[in-house]
């Protein structure tokens, strides 16, 4: 499943909506998606959203859509 992860770049700063970023990644569960991001970044995760069906198709139309792959 594809997940969209909303995050702030830094855990030390107070979150601001204007500074929220997102990335897409493939994982079996939301828990696994969170674990991948936490293990490979210093991002402050705000929300993780499962993407499928028409929602995923809409997101894939965006030219900035790119799956993030973390290497071990």
């Amino acid at each position: 499943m594809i997940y969209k992860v909303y995050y702030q770049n830094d855990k030390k700063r107070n979150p601001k909506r204007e500074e929220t970023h997102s990335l897409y990644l493939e994982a079996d569960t939301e828990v696994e998606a969170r674990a991948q991001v936490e293990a490979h970044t210093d991002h402050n995760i705000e929300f993780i959203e499962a993407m499928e069906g028409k929602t995923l198709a809409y997101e894939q139309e965006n030219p900035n859509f790119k799956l993030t792959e973390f290497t071990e």
Side-chain angles (χ1 to χ4, degrees), residues 10-72:
D10 190 353
K11 291 182 180 181
K12 296 176 185 173
R13 295 191 61 199
N14 195 17
K16 293 186 174 112
R17 183 180 346 157
E18 296 82 9
E19 296 177 11
T20 298
H21 303 281
S22 62
L23 62 85
Y24 303 91
L25 60 94
E26 189 168 359
D28 292 331
T29 65
E30 183 178 324
V31 173
E32 183 183 319
R34 178 177 293 277
Q36 285 184 35
V37 175
E38 287 179 346
H40 294 95
T41 70
D42 289 330
H43 297 332
N44 183 10
I45 299 171
E46 292 182 17
F47 184 70
I48 299 177
E49 178 180 12
M51 309 295 281
E52 60 186 354
K54 291 182 180 181
T55 305
L56 178 58
Y58 175 80
E59 293 287 339
Q60 288 174 326
E61 290 177 7
N62 184 334
N64 295 326
F65 179 87
K66 179 180 181 264
L67 282 178
T68 300
E69 294 182 22
F70 298 111
T71 55
E72 296 299 321

